[in-house]
């Protein structure tokens, strides 16, 4: 039986004095999870890690995304990417596929000041929850500090 | 490297999604299915939304690149599908009550072996427990016992589900190797194969 179509990818990055600095991670329906982080600041190097998480982890990830109701949002009123950088959140969930792109968000102040604070707040918190999960997975699996 | 296909949709940056365009995309998705590039049934229309689909950005260094570090199982069939992490075995617990504490977790899960690490992550908006916990045991048998005993058990009136967090990779590694958006990104007519190889790891 084919698994329900599911894919998550998050990217945040910018081009700057230290080159292309970014963090990106993705989850596939079959559990494959990849994490890439590049910071050239003080000669830090590219970290690229791959791991396979269990179906229960994917199920929990789906729950977190479904509960956030992010699939109902739309990025058309969110701040556009700029010199500070951009964030991307791509989620394929069943027959829905979103690929949101927006500027980096420093804090809730940026969210409140935007044209779509409700929608952007959903994005803002979901991204933090996803990052939190991924950092835990990386930390526990590899015993490294991901950032 | 195997042949890679890019299907371009010629989306002009800044265009809003028009119905016609939407129909085109759906049709394209169907054609992809027919040529066996995609696993879903052709009838399924995918609802797409977001500026990311119009972005022509291509990056050669992110998750779509190659040469990722992996932990390999040392062919230990005793651990089944579970995969050992660097220092131990990671158990995932879901269905965790939002008011559960680290003490609650240590109390319950400490019975099966010394818990080396606990990640009880919080919901960033509410500040309450997000709903899952990751715990680490040194030995496979401890993790296995904890899962067997606690899967289906109750904590603060909520039923827990427990399993290993990490498993051995499945072998169909090439399926869905790339992200999904890259297939539908415009602005590179006729481009096929050829993300540049990733920089070597230092």
């Amino acid at each position: 039986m084919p698994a329900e179509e599911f894919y998550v990818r998050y990217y945040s990055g910018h081009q700057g004095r230290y080159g292309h600095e970014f963090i990106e991670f993705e989850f596939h329906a079959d559990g494959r999870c990849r994490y890439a982080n590049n910071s050239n600041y003080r000669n830090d190097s590219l970290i690229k890690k791959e791991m396979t998480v269990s179906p229960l982890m994917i199920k929990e990830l789906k729950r977190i995304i479904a509960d956030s109701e992010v699939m109902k949002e739309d990025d058309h009123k969110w701040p556009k990417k700029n010199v500070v950088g951009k964030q991307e959140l791509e989620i394929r969930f069943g027959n829905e596929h979103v690929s949101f792109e927006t500027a980096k968000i420093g804090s809730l102040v940026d969210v409140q000041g935007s044209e779509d604070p409700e929608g952007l707040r959903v994005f803002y918190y979901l991204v933090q929850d996803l990052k939190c999960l991924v950092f835990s997975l990386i930390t526990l699996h590899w015993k490294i500090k991901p950032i | 490297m195997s042949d890679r296909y890019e299907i371009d949709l010629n989306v002009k940056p800044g265009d809003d999604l028009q119905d016609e365009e939407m129909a085109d995309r759906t049709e394209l998705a169907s054609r992809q299915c027919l040529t066996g590039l995609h696993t879903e049934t052709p009838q399924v229309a995918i609802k797409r939304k977001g500026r990311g689909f119009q972005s022509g950005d291509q990056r050669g260094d992110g998750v779509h690149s190659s040469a990722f570090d992996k932990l390999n199982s040392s062919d230990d069939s005793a651990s089944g599908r579970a995969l050992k992490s660097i220092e131990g075995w990671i158990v995932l617990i879901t269905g965790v009550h939002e008011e559960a504490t680290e003490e609650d977790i240590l109390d319950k899960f400490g019975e099966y072996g010394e818990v080396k690490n606990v990640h009880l992550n919080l919901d960033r908006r509410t500040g309450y427990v997000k709903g899952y916990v990751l715990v680490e045991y040194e030995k496979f048998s401890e993790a296995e016992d904890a899962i067997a005993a606690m899967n289906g058990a109750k904590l603060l009136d909520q039923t827990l589900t427990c399993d290993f967090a990490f498993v051995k990779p499945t072998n169909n590694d090439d399926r869905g190797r790339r992200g999904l958006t890259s297939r539908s990104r415009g602005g590179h007519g006729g481009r096929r194969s050829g993300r540049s190889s990733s920089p070597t790891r230092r």
Side-chain angles (χ1 to χ4, degrees), chain A residues 5 7 9 11 20 22 24-26 28 30 32 34-36 40 43-46 48-57 60 63-64 71-81 86 88 90 92 95-102 121 125 128-129 132-133 136-137 139-143, chain B residues 38-40 44-53 55 57 59 61-71 83-87 90 92 94 117 119 121-125 130-132 134 136 161-167 169-170 173 175-181 185 198-199 201-202:
Chain A
E5 290 283 340
Y7 175 74
R9 183 182 59 84
Y11 165 91
H20 182 211
F22 68 95
E24 188 173 28
F25 57 78
E26 66 173 4
H28 290 264
D30 64 3
R32 198 173 60 251
R34 288 179 148 196
Y35 173 88
N40 295 318
N43 292 325
D44 272 1
S45 59
L46 182 61
K48 296 211 281 185
K49 302 288 182 195
E50 179 171 322
M51 50 218 172
T52 310
V53 298
S54 62
L56 183 61
M57 187 74 258
E60 181 67 0
R63 180 194 68 85
I64 290 170
M71 304 303 281
K72 290 184 184 165
E73 302 303 334
D74 197 324
D75 61 356
H76 71 282
K77 283 201 276 184
W78 297 356
K80 287 196 171 129
K81 64 177 175 183
K86 71 165 168 174
E88 297 169 4
E90 178 181 1
R92 173 72 193 272
N95 296 328
E96 289 182 83
H97 191 173
V98 299
S99 184
F100 295 144
E101 184 183 281
T102 188
R121 188 180 301 116
Y125 283 119
Q128 290 193 53
D129 286 333
C132 185
L133 170 62
S136 281
L137 290 173
T139 308
L140 288 167
H141 197 51
W142 299 91
K143 295 292 167 178
Chain B
H38 219 273
T39 48
E40 69 218 333
V44 178
I46 303 159
K47 280 186 275 176
R48 292 203 168 96
K49 195 163 60 179
R51 291 190 294 231
F53 290 111
S55 168
D57 296 3
R59 290 186 298 270
D61 46 3
V63 292
H64 303 328
S65 62
S66 55
F68 277 69
D69 300 340
K70 275 189 234 182
L71 288 186
L83 181 68
K84 188 178 191 275
S85 299
I86 289 259
E87 285 180 3
I90 315 298
L92 169 67
T94 65
N117 258 306
H119 283 227
N121 291 341
L122 305 181
D123 184 302
R124 300 303 288 255
R125 187 176 61 84
K130 189 70 196 168
Y132 66 90
L134 292 156
E136 178 182 336
T161 307
C162 309
D163 199 358
F164 286 98
F166 298 101
V167 295
T170 44
D173 254 15
R175 204 187 139 261
R177 193 29 107 195
R178 294 161 302 126
L180 301 172
T181 303
R185 277 178 177 163
S198 51
R201 212 169 57 85
R202 276 170 291 176

